[in-house]
Amino acid sequence: MLFRSPRTAARDRAMSAAINPTTHLGEAFAAIDNRKGEVKTRTLAKAIDIEIPDFLAHPGCRHNVDYDALRDEVLANGEGKVVENDTMLVDTGEFTGRCPKDRYIVDDGEAHKNVGWGNINLPIQKSTFDKIFDLHCKRLQSLDKVYVFEGFVGASKKSRRAVRVVSELAWHHHFCTNMFIRPTEEELENFTPDLTIVNSRAKFEQWKEEGLRSQTCVALDVNRGLQVVTNTEYSGEMKKGAFSMMNYLLPLEGIMSMHCSATVGPAGDTAIFFGLSGTGKTTLSADTTRYLIGDDEHGWDEDGVFNLEGGCYAKMVDLNPEKEPLIHAAICRDAILENVIVDADGKCDYKDTSKTENTRGSYPMWHIPNHLPEGFAGHPKNVIFLACDAYGVLPPVSKLTKEQALFHLVSGYTAKVAGTEMGITEPTATFSICFGGAFMPLPAKNYAVLFEEKIAKHNVDVFLVNTGWTGGAYGVGKRMDINATRAIVAAILEGSIEDGNLHSPDPHFQLRAPRELPGVETSVLNPRDAWADKEAFDIQAAKLRDMYVDNWTKFSADPFMERLGNYGPGGNALLH
């Protein structure tokens, strides 16, 4: 049974007709039309030496279930309930976010030499992985019903991968239907997965004996194209597993993989927004004046930028129809809400974080009316790095040199603030390779070299935008106004931030901020001017500068990376 009900299929056809990129964006897309009919799905060079049951032959197999039938399955299984706007609400149980300390990659074969091993990419023995994989398969075979989703990761048919997800829960199947690229009937006829994900409620009791940190294990075998999701029902583990796989494979083929959102304007000007969770990546890409390519995961090849997904997975905390109208409107029938608190009448309280601050909503791309149905556009004109600086010392916008762009890509800085119930107000700096280190299996240099080639070849401008605090650190200053940030992004996309209107590099970070910008207070553009206590600013700026420097020490053994360090905070390459 295919995923698209007649109602859904009709709506998708109408949306595609209404927003046709070759009609609305004209000649800007002519150069990439070759993607449409050229199917070159690459198969992993892998030898499967583990038995994988034929789940499609399972007597209770539910295969690519359509949305209406899925809704009935979720409700009949007691996995969710319908709340306002006819939306499905589920509870992910103990885990309301990813488990990065329980994330592993099989240390075997090509992966042994390719993966950047460390405290993020943790090794797991192949024999241990096989035991867990077999455990999942046996449990799934024992169930009365099993859900099998088949689709694709990657909108470019030249490099996309086929993914099969076998799950115990119907709502996980629904999530995959939202988030992966849905196949046609013809594409399902000879479907062969490049990545197989098994996700059940199986318990791995031997975790201590096998040297794991806990019973929770999210492990990826990049050599054989397999993933296990164990002891967690947080759905994001499935999509991030597929993303991690692409972040391993694509760069080895010369394709840049990115944790970013992407949009394209009516003139065909593509923009990319890198950023960790909470920096505004999804919010700023939900722009009614532009077309949405995707909100989280993309590739950049010789033709341009393409989405890896078929849907969006947005944070729901403080969702406001006035500030985020497109996302708010997307939460309707066929969307899934995770861990959102509702009242007795099923009305959502997006401000209530008593369960978690990481409330989420997944929905198919067509819920965004200005989405790009084909999921790809030309090469970017602008790249924007988003940082939520809770120390309040970074400028709201800075134009970066090529070397600075590479430094800040690898650094991937943002800051997190602990919950007030803990009594902690001190910001915590987070440095994450390529603004997505938790799903970047290769060493940082691999991504930096590819990014350098891309921005140089296509003459791309790169900016660092602070969506965090101004006038003081968290607890003293205030959060950047979303309207000011939107004005900054608009100025970037219009090309009105010119080199001649930039301040000299500041002494702490070597960043060049504009002297003036429409829609943004001049005092805010220079962060030191926005602080009443200048001495306190200098102390705080020095503190963040030193954290940047300390983080970079792990890269400085490589001459290429060491040179980049001189263009970052604490360096002097631009201080003349």
Side-chain angles (χ1 to χ4, degrees):
M1 181 184 294
L2 282 175
F3 74 95
R4 298 170 75 202
S5 67
R7 172 181 58 82
T8 300
R11 180 179 59 192
D12 199 17
R13 285 194 300 271
M15 190 69 73
S16 296
I19 306 176
N20 187 323
T22 56
T23 298
H24 287 262
L25 302 185
E27 297 178 359
F29 285 86
I32 56 172
D33 277 352
N34 65 309
R35 292 183 196 263
K36 293 180 182 178
E38 191 170 359
V39 181
K40 293 184 179 179
T41 303
R42 300 177 185 225
T43 302
L44 297 177
K46 60 180 184 290
I48 296 294
D49 54 1
I50 187 171
E51 184 178 351
I52 303 178
D54 182 5
F55 288 108
L56 293 178
H58 188 292
C61 176
R62 307 294 198 265
H63 179 221
N64 281 43
V65 185
D66 71 47
Y67 277 116
D68 293 333
L70 258 178
R71 180 188 181 89
D72 294 339
E73 292 273 344
V74 173
L75 294 174
N77 295 348
E79 299 174 16
K81 63 181 180 180
V82 176
V83 296
E84 67 173 306
N85 295 332
D86 216 13
T87 308
M88 186 65 69
L89 171 66
V90 299
D91 189 312
T92 65
E94 178 184 358
F95 297 100
T96 59
R98 290 180 295 102
C99 300
K101 294 182 180 179
D102 298 295
R103 172 188 173 273
Y104 303 91
I105 298 175
V106 173
D107 186 5
D108 188 59
E110 291 294 307
H112 179 73
K113 66 177 182 180
N114 289 337
V115 171
W117 301 107
N119 59 1
I120 294 177
N121 295 317
L122 301 172
I124 186 174
Q125 294 299 310
K126 180 181 176 183
S127 58
T128 302
F129 179 93
D130 288 357
K131 291 176 184 176
I132 301 172
F133 189 87
D134 184 61
L135 185 70
H136 279 286
C137 289
K138 287 179 177 176
R139 176 173 176 85
L140 289 163
Q141 284 180 296
S142 73
L143 300 173
D144 292 335
K145 292 189 290 188
V146 63
Y147 298 90
V148 180
F149 172 83
E150 294 180 325
F152 298 99
V153 186
S156 172
K157 293 183 179 181
K158 293 181 178 180
S159 60
R160 73 180 183 181
R161 259 63 178 192
V163 59
R164 173 181 291 160
V165 184
V166 187
S167 64
E168 177 171 343
L169 299 180
W171 85 261
H172 281 165
H173 187 85
H174 186 166
F175 175 85
C176 293
T177 305
N178 280 349
M179 295 309 304
F180 293 119
I181 295 173
R182 295 151 289 272
T184 63
E185 293 186 39
E186 292 74 20
E187 289 170 333
L188 281 178
E189 289 178 3
N190 298 300
F191 190 90
T192 302
D194 297 308
L195 173 63
T196 298
I197 300 172
V198 290
N199 186 353
S200 77
R201 285 175 167 170
K203 299 293 184 183
F204 187 55
E205 305 292 350
Q206 294 77 40
W207 59 272
K208 285 185 180 178
E209 294 86 337
E210 294 293 336
L212 302 183
R213 193 188 72 93
S214 74
Q215 195 173 72
T216 304
C217 176
V218 180
L220 180 66
D221 187 334
V222 296
N223 297 309
R224 297 181 291 176
L226 303 172
Q227 187 196 19
V228 295
V229 180
T230 316
N231 198 50
T232 172
E233 294 180 9
Y234 180 66
S235 60
E237 298 285 14
M238 294 179 289
K239 93 176 197 104
K240 289 305 184 186
F243 185 34
S244 296
M245 190 74 171
M246 297 300 272
N247 287 340
Y248 176 83
L249 295 170
L250 294 184
L252 297 178
E253 299 170 1
I255 300 170
M256 182 70 186
S257 58
M258 305 172 290
H259 183 216
C260 68
S261 60
T263 66
V264 61
D269 56 305
T270 301
I272 292 173
F273 300 80
F274 282 85
L276 289 161
S277 179
T279 58
K281 189 167 76 277
T282 298
T283 299
L284 292 171
S285 61
D287 184 341
T288 57
T289 68
R290 297 173 64 82
Y291 298 92
L292 178 67
I293 303 170
D295 83 323
D296 196 46
E297 302 166 1
H298 293 80
W300 183 0
D301 62 13
E302 70 275 11
D303 296 319
V305 173
F306 58 92
N307 196 0
L308 295 182
E309 302 183 287
C312 300
Y313 192 40
K315 295 193 78 168
M316 294 290 102
V317 64
D318 292 329
L319 182 64
N320 185 311
E322 294 180 2
K323 293 183 178 180
E324 298 174 284
L326 291 177
I327 297 174
H328 190 273
I331 306 304
C332 56
R333 188 180 176 110
D334 298 343
I336 306 173
L337 287 173
E338 297 179 16
N339 303 315
V340 172
I341 304 300
V342 298
D343 63 19
D345 296 323
K347 185 171 180 58
C348 298
D349 184 355
Y350 295 116
K351 293 183 179 296
D352 190 333
T353 57
S354 56
K355 168 75 175 180
T356 177
E357 291 191 5
N358 191 39
T359 51
R360 291 275 180 170
S362 70
Y363 46 89
M365 286 296 297
W366 61 69
H367 280 203
I368 300 295
N370 56 319
H371 79 288
L372 213 59
E374 294 186 352
F376 56 80
H379 297 286
K381 180 179 179 182
N382 295 289
V383 169
I384 298 171
F385 297 152
L386 300 171
C388 178
D389 175 31
Y391 297 92
V393 293
L394 291 183
V397 58
S398 312
K399 188 172 185 180
L400 306 179
T401 67
K402 182 187 72 174
E403 292 82 6
Q404 284 181 308
L406 301 182
F407 175 90
H408 286 281
L409 174 75
V410 172
S411 294
Y413 163 72
T414 194
K416 297 179 181 180
V417 180
T420 54
E421 72 278 1
M422 300 279 295
I424 299 173
T425 58
E426 178 71 12
T428 301
T430 297
F431 294 94
S432 186
I433 294 169
C434 300
F435 299 91
F439 3 97
M440 298 291 168
L442 300 175
K445 183 179 177 180
N446 291 55
Y447 305 104
V449 169
L450 264 177
F451 189 69
E452 179 181 35
E453 293 173 358
K454 295 291 187 184
I455 62 174
K457 181 177 180 179
H458 301 289
N459 194 30
V460 179
D461 287 330
V462 184
F463 298 84
L464 177 66
V465 171
N466 174 20
T467 62
W469 271 255
T470 180
Y474 174 83
V476 177
K478 62 179 181 179
R479 189 78 188 260
M480 291 283 184
D481 181 71
I482 184 62
N483 292 322
T485 301
R486 290 191 187 280
I488 288 169
V489 171
I492 291 172
L493 300 181
E494 293 166 3
S496 59
I497 300 181
E498 300 175 348
D499 290 341
N501 188 36
L502 300 177
H503 286 288
S504 299
D506 76 277
H508 294 288
F509 307 105
Q510 301 192 83
L511 294 175
R512 302 173 300 156
R515 291 186 174 89
E516 55 185 22
L517 204 62
V520 185
E521 295 178 22
T522 303
S523 61
V524 173
L525 290 171
N526 186 333
R528 193 171 189 272
D529 291 345
W531 282 55
D533 188 337
K534 311 301 183 190
E535 183 178 354
F537 172 89
D538 292 334
I539 293 172
Q540 197 81 326
K543 181 178 180 179
L544 179 57
R545 176 200 65 205
D546 292 345
M547 285 189 278
Y548 266 108
V549 172
D550 181 63
N551 176 69
W552 198 259
T553 57
K554 60 178 174 278
F555 307 116
S556 57
D558 182 275
F560 174 83
M561 303 292 272
E562 182 184 28
R563 182 179 67 85
L564 295 181
N566 199 31
Y567 288 84
N572 59 14
L574 302 176
L575 299 178
H576 304 299

